Amino acid sequence: MSATTTSAEDKKFTSKELVTDQEVRWCPGCGDYSILKQVQTVVPDLGIPREDIVFISGIGCSSRFPYYMETYGMHSIHGRAAAIVSGLKCVRPELSIWMVSGDGDSLSIGGNHFIHLLRRNFDINLLLFNNEIYGLTKGQYSPTSHEGKVTKSTPMGSIDHPFNPIALALGANGTFVARSMDRDPVHLKEMLKRSHGHKGTSFLEIYQNCNVFNDGAFEIFTDKGTKKAETIIIEQDKPLIFGHNADKGIKLEGFKPVIVDLNANGNSANDLWIHDEKDLTKAGILSRFFDRPEDGADHLPRPFGVFYSADRSCYEDGLKDQIELAKSKKKADLDSILKGRETWVIG
Amino acid sequence: MSATTTSAEDKKFTSKELVTDQEVRWCPGCGDYSILKQVQTVVPDLGIPREDIVFISGIGCSSRFPYYMETYGMHSIHGRAAAIVSGLKCVRPELSIWMVSGDGDSLSIGGNHFIHLLRRNFDINLLLFNNEIYGLTKGQYSPTSHEGKVTKSTPMGSIDHPFNPIALALGANGTFVARSMDRDPVHLKEMLKRSHGHKGTSFLEIYQNCNVFNDGAFEIFTDKGTKKAETIIIEQDKPLIFGHNADKGIKLEGFKPVIVDLNANGNSANDLWIHDEKDLTKAGILSRFFDRPEDGADHLPRPFGVFYSADRSCYEDGLKDQIELAKSKKKADLDSILKGRETWVIG
Amino acid sequence: MADNQKVLDRVIIKFAGDSGDGMQLTGTQFTNTAAMLGNDLSTFPDFPAEIRAPQGTIPGVSGYQLHFGSVNIFTPGDECDVLVAMNAAALKANLRHLRKGGTIIANSDGFDPKNLRLAAYADGVNPITDGSLENFRLITIDVTKMTRAALTESGMGIKEIDRAKNMFVLGFLYWMYNRELDYTENFLNEKFGKKPDVLEANLKVLKAGYNFGETSETIADRYIVNPAPMAPGTYRNIMGNQATALGLIAASQKCGLDLFLGSYPITPATDILHDLAKYKHFGVTTYQAEDEIAAICSVIGAAFGGKLAVTTSSGPGIALKGEAMGLGMMLELPMIIINVQRGGPSTGLPTKTEQSDLFQAMYGRNGEAPIPVICATSPADCFAAVYESCRIAIEFMTPVIFLSDGYIANGSEPWRYPQAADLKEFKGNFITEVPEGGFLPYKRDEKLSRPWAIPGVKGLEHRIGGLEKAHETGNISYDPENHEFMVRMREAKVNKIADYIPLQTLDNGAEKGKILVLGWGSTHGAIKAAVKEAREKGMDVSHAQIRHLNPFPKNLGEILYNFDTILIPEMNTGQLCSIIRDKFMVPAIGLNKIKGMPFSTTEIFAKIEELATK
Amino acid sequence: MADNQKVLDRVIIKFAGDSGDGMQLTGTQFTNTAAMLGNDLSTFPDFPAEIRAPQGTIPGVSGYQLHFGSVNIFTPGDECDVLVAMNAAALKANLRHLRKGGTIIANSDGFDPKNLRLAAYADGVNPITDGSLENFRLITIDVTKMTRAALTESGMGIKEIDRAKNMFVLGFLYWMYNRELDYTENFLNEKFGKKPDVLEANLKVLKAGYNFGETSETIADRYIVNPAPMAPGTYRNIMGNQATALGLIAASQKCGLDLFLGSYPITPATDILHDLAKYKHFGVTTYQAEDEIAAICSVIGAAFGGKLAVTTSSGPGIALKGEAMGLGMMLELPMIIINVQRGGPSTGLPTKTEQSDLFQAMYGRNGEAPIPVICATSPADCFAAVYESCRIAIEFMTPVIFLSDGYIANGSEPWRYPQAADLKEFKGNFITEVPEGGFLPYKRDEKLSRPWAIPGVKGLEHRIGGLEKAHETGNISYDPENHEFMVRMREAKVNKIADYIPLQTLDNGAEKGKILVLGWGSTHGAIKAAVKEAREKGMDVSHAQIRHLNPFPKNLGEILYNFDTILIPEMNTGQLCSIIRDKFMVPAIGLNKIKGMPFSTTEIFAKIEELATK
Ligand SMILES: Cc1ncc(C[n+]2csc(CCOP(=O)(O)OP(=O)(O)O)c2C)c(N)n1
Ligand SMILES: Cc1ncc(C[n+]2csc(CCOP(=O)(O)OP(=O)(O)O)c2C)c(N)n1
Ligand code: SF4
Ligand code: SF4
Ligand SMILES: [Mg+2]
Ligand SMILES: [Mg+2]
């Protein structure tokens, strides 16, 4: 979503004014709470009148989200939110539209609308709460669950190779692809702002802990003891550095990312891979840090941040242009079209 | 599809024996004829008994295909062939299953099943006839039609940014991704064989001319005058060379493919990009030869051949393993499960 | 006019040829010329099922049937009087629809050995020379030769020349039916204005055909068909899908809301998308979605955004929309779901017509999900019926299903089109500020309709969804009593519409009597013609045609109880019949045709006669 | 037994507490113990709609109702005799279902200020101390304190100790109803065998509860509920979804075809998927598809491959399957489509029960697409009903819709399970070689069923699809006559099934009389109980419960015509009622409840009484 231009005075509202009268009904400890909080913190600062904001979701625990946001909202049907926001954005391009969805909602049943939304590049923000499980239906594996995952529907372990949501979004020609997590409020807020700032479909994958059916799925990325070694925050024009003491870096050997020890002799941050959000190929490599490692390749940290961001025209702009052009060329005369090309008179 | 191992004698049948008693009903000049011919030529040589071959399609001109193949076949409903072949392969892994589909069938309505088929990696062959149009419904733009395309449903030109089918397939974790065209029978036959040879979902995009509703969409790739300059055949371990006199090569500067003149001083085939089907990153770059060119980048030829090929376990194998393991551990005793854990006797 | 000319009160011509022979154009030209002369008429094209089935074969035959007359015309006609057969396949495919004694105009060039073989005639058999057509009046013309002869000096290539063949036939028919050439001449002028040689060639061949009639007068009679006694006014010709598109635009203008169409192409509904895509200057958005589910969901989004939102499809596509239609109903947002029915089940007979999706429209959703259903009775009627659908959707905040079918979608008839100023305006229940006492998204007005609060209005921020909702507040509610209340409320709201629609009227006949023929949708013309004939023959029969299928007009029961026998002709196995039996406990009987083709007047007449004489 | 104990012939207990309080387990344990003692019984759980609604609130209440007795039990019961309320919310949510004079067992710790506030009691109000419950027998126990006391020396943490609270209540109830502890002791031994301290703690608290009853005998009476006069045999307890899974496996074994389930999770059907996933050693494949459309399409693929193929879902998911069901019907391949119905429309009330998808099952497809429909009448009956569905699918080469609902899916009852050897085998129409005269994929046998020719058989290569097909050859056909013939043929095939299913029988009452209560599906128990009571009170009423909804048993009409009044209780607005009125022209009347909850016996009895005395 790009910024709108209404006067600043109109828009002032507080985070509290984003809280609805509905009791929040997620399990205690669910990662969704944190995401809700960060969204409620960020949204008032975006400079959009509250009445111009719409949250639309599918079905799932995550999709309960709109009920808790004192904006316009719709809790729709499973997997279809992307299609609904597309229609709404066509006719109301001035609205700030946020779609909230789960890994099942957007990548299983809603996969088709997801990829089509990305290619059309409607200017909306898509928050995908990835908990690698179907929460609402009480714990079946999802398209992001890893192979071997034991769930209620896979007592012997899943045999489905999962999607890599970032790679899929890039493959579907997404123009903004980013990842954050429920347990890093600062990063999450930053990513929410970036998503809003991007003009086009902003796809933000948020790792979210389902503490009831898939507890700890992302623990190594959030646990203090492992977080620094297992995650890497990617930032524009900055070298890829991570590790407990920011002592490790990643550089590219050909197309292969390798880890270098910044404390060791002869290694310098200057040789590292410098993150460039505009580079689709590099974004592709970053997206694959964790799956399909070649034999003997380094174990790489999980990247968080904006993988890719590019400018491309939005569907609704093209639409508006065509309608305006058509209007400028031809008057809308109902009588003339009722009449058509040829008529005859009787009597 | 991987090769099966029945004895060679059983399987002998001729291309003619693959012709059904149904009249072929495509428009005269349609590219589908050529594809049918190449498939009928290649299939008898694969060493599979005819009764073990199944062709399954959705709806569209292309999806008429099964009616013309004297094998088992199903002309199903629009977009759903991928889901049908998945079910069939689960229960009949020994069959040679071919799915035939169109750009609308697999990338528009069938997009979700398409990406899920690729990630699950069922061992089937998917032939996607891409004519960049909806043929059967008489000429609306499809998800592969280029922006600006004027069709019956886009009189002012399409404003949909198209999919790049190869990139989408890679993003969906496809294990075999290739491209060929109706008008290059030799290459097409080779690609059909390769698709069959790959164990896993073999995705073969075939450029197909719809001479009625989108004539000439691929003319620069098939026309004698332009073909050599506009296409490049990629082959394993071979340098990327093209041009009328095989006088142009492609090398990578960083991640950027640039064209070099092999006749010019100091340029040698040895410096060129050597194609490696196992390299996902390079496959990604190849897939983007034609869209999103950066400013000032070279105009690149369209690649044909196998972009990517990797080994990954197939869903049906995992399934079989689990069932066999379960069977080896536990007897299937109907009485015992009818009885359950606790019973009591009355009377 | 010469006095050897016969005056006829109606004629049915079937133009048939290969897909490439231009029969649709020929038919349309003759139709428009007839219209200009004041004939009443009705047409129906008959496309091949394949995009382009092989040339010369039966599946490749393309047909166009025209019924015109000096009397009122209700259908494209049953058996035809004249069959134009451009090739052997065209003859073979259509001969059984030609009445005994009818005229065949055969292009002898299309009966060469190759064409005969493609049409699957037995070796050596040629129907136009072997006398097998002796029950008909056979006029054989070597159209190809004539056309070429007319254009020897044009300097055009043979292929191009041959493309003008249909003009020869058209010219000949104009002569036969005493028509002026000027309408078609004007048309050609406009069409080929920029290609003078093509223009001239076409004009020449058209005239050559006419002159051929003149000079070889012996081979055919000439006929006069006088203007019909039509209501005075200005007319145009219109096809059903066209009228549907126009009706939507008119409704959009008259309720002051931009039109949004979310659609996925499917035969025979696609032309509505094609048509609407041309009206961007009316603020019309056409969105070609990735599938039917996305199409209706985009419509839900657009409706939430405050627009007049519509989706178009046919049976298989409508099947996919069921879940989202339920959501639309639960959200109580206005939207129009158009089903141009085709031959089912499954993929069925995509290019043929049927009325077999009525049950689907009434019941094809999970749970208690009542949705109003409205149908159109003729090509031109699509305009009024879809306009009415929009009004109900908007005024009652509800999805509305509009049923058309392949027959009226592609058929055409003269239309005394309305003036924009005469169309009744209607408006949405918009709420633009917080009402006293606070905003309640599901508070109902006297129509039981809820307010339309669209994003952008300060203070009306609210959430809606597919879970059961509490009365008035719209908050999620699992309360058992509330659920029953809301299910009944949604039902009551749909039933309430009956207070805001016209009472059922009779199309023909007395209000009380022996037989009532009750129809819905596109059977109108055939029933009308049959009942008229039966009444002329003294039978006690009346005719009512239902437009509002859900809810029914309030007086429908009363009407039904006034007749001994209710006959319901339907192009299905008896779906309306079931509903009528259930709702009104009358032992209605069905006349059912499931052949992908409309009823003929004869079929319905025969049934009426059978019942009347029992 | 002490003689101050009262003998009761039936008791209804509702266990209610917070989701975390273990009420489902407590209920199940009491149920199984009752079963072992030979009581007849019926149970129904009442889950919160949210995964985990906030602790202590009304949406967070989880309930389990048990009806057991020395007489035959048909339903989980209407008003309960005993309400176990572990906290204030549990009391508030359930009090209205407790009969006047009933017993409340309240955990006083769950009525502290925090819990009272969470349950939204007004400030300062505490129902267990303010005398507002004087119409009931209130037994207040500080369960938490007692449990902690019992485990002071266990060395366990408070959290862990508190988790055993439910065992205290269970022990107390065992004492109250004179039950042995051994069943639960065995259960605990098995469950916690590997955690001896947890085991010991649970056993201790269980006994503490029992002893509490013994020692504080003044606060409660004890009751005796003797064994019920059940048919002799060996029984187990079973829930509907479990029985469905077992029925499918049994069918798979008895027709010799591996079972393939293609499904997408949805409440309340998901447990069938979970269950079947455990039976891989029976050759069962469970395929969790990406959506419902993929699920049924995978089933079409598996059926084409020659397996027993099944898909499971609930209303919204079934809506998505409509198009593919049409294809399945057109292909004439066997498959079972299971709809465990829930509260609709749209997302509706996912965790509640309803019967509102009958219309969808009968009519929810485009075109004329008849599919057999079968329903189950009780949890255990799911076994036989789904087995029958499989038989019909396989023998008639057709999709079959099996309707269950949330009520029987999650409810349980004793089941005199069959022996594998007693289940009737059936087999597919497989064709394994080219017949003389050539293979015709759509040639029909005496059942009008076509041969099942699966890939791998030499010489039977053939193509099938969704376009209309020619009789016998199955080739694409656009022929009008053939289309009507095939539509009628597919209808005739479904109707033919009536020759191969049992005639409709009466569950109770005379074959002729004043009132017939006609039910379908899960209303069976409540109708049975109500009719029994009415007959005992001398009313002229009979009961029939339909299993075969399409086609109906051949004698259904005859039965209906023998009664003056047909009453059809349904958990919808009257869907079967419509169908019966249409088909048989009888003015059946509906008794409709759309509250997400099953009928109570009282509700049905009251209606019978009203009709009987009219
Ligand atoms: C059409 C349909 N199919 C299935 C369901 C059941 N269902 C509800 S949510 C859900 C998946 C939830 O997973 P996810 O999208 O990852 O959300 P989460 O609950 O994990 O946040 C499913 C299968 C449904 N409501 N509707
Ligand atoms: C459910 C459904 N929606 C729409 C259609 C109409 N339809 C048939 S084929 C087709 C698209 C054909 O395009 P493509 O898949 O590219 O195949 P092609 O004809 O170009 O080979 C459409 C929209 C249908 N048959 N079923
Ligand atoms: S089930 Fe998981 S995702 Fe859903 S609310 Fe509970 S913790 Fe959160
Ligand atoms: S419409 Fe196009 S794709 Fe279809 S048969 Fe004709 S040429 Fe081929
Ligand atoms: Mg999830
Ligand atoms: Mg195409």
Side-chain angles (χ1 to χ4, degrees), chain D residues 29-73:
Chain D
Q29 285 301 307
F30 198 99
T31 299
N32 291 350
T33 296
M36 297 296 156
L37 284 179
N39 295 136
D40 195 2
L41 57 83
S42 172
T43 76
F44 188 57
D46 179 13
F47 303 119
E50 269 81 21
I51 288 292
R52 260 185 214 181
Q55 230 178 331
T57 63
I58 290 188
V61 173
S62 172
Y64 185 98
Q65 183 157 320
L66 164 65
H67 187 181
F68 66 106
S70 59
V71 294
N72 284 326
I73 301 296

Side-chain angles (χ1 to χ4, degrees), chain A residues 228-229 232 239-250 259-263 272 299 301:
Chain A
K228 295 225 161 153
I232 185 164
L240 264 59
I241 295 181
F242 70 110
H244 282 286
N245 305 303
D247 52 358
K248 286 183 179 155
I250 295 174
I259 295 180
V260 297
D261 183 347
L262 293 175
N263 292 331
L272 297 181
H299 167 79

Side-chain angles (χ1 to χ4, degrees), chain D residues 65 281 337 343 368 372 392 398-399 406 423 494 502 521:
Chain D
Q65 183 157 320
H281 54 299
I337 297 123
E368 298 290 349
I392 289 176
T398 177
L423 295 170
V494 170

